[in-house]
Amino acid sequence: MLVLSRKEGESVIIGDHISVTVLSIEPGGQVNIGISAPRDVLVLRSELQKAVSENQSAADTAPAPLVELLRSAVGAIAAPPTDAPSEKN
C-alpha cells in the first residue's frame, strides 16, 4: 500500500485518467475527497464493495433444497396446467 500525505486542495493521479483530490479536512479528522474518473470506471466505497461481495457469495452458496424449491415454484407458475381444456373455435 502506498501511503501519501496531501494537504487540502492537493491531488493524487492514478494512471492517466483518475485524479483524487483532497477537498477539505474537517476538525474531527474527516477528509472529504473528490474523485475524477472516466464514466466506465467503477468507483465504490470499500464497505459497499464488501457488501456486494458478501451478497454474491451468499447467493452462490444457496442451499440446494432451496434452489430446487424455487425452481419447482417458478416452473409451476410458468407451465400451463396439463389437464386444461384446449380452446377450439
Side-chain angles (χ1 to χ4, degrees):
M1 173 188 299
L2 175 64
V3 179
L4 300 172
S5 296
R6 299 279 77 202
K7 294 180 182 176
E8 195 170 309
E10 294 181 336
S11 299
V12 174
I13 306 298
I14 302 171
D16 293 331
H17 305 289
I18 300 172
S19 172
V20 180
T21 303
V22 177
L23 301 176
S24 65
I25 303 171
E26 303 297 325
Q30 181 174 339
V31 178
N32 295 312
I33 61 171
I35 301 170
S36 176
R39 290 188 181 270
D40 63 330
V41 174
L42 181 62
V43 178
L44 290 176
R45 297 186 322 260
S46 60
E47 63 272 15
L48 182 57
Q49 175 63 41
K50 181 180 177 186
V52 168
S53 295
E54 288 173 356
N55 285 336
Q56 286 176 338
S57 295
D60 291 342
T61 59
L66 178 59
V67 172
E68 280 306 310
L69 178 64
L70 289 171
R71 281 190 183 135
S72 63
V74 169
I77 294 169
T82 56
D83 59 344
S86 60
E87 289 186 29
K88 295 182 181 178
N89 292 351

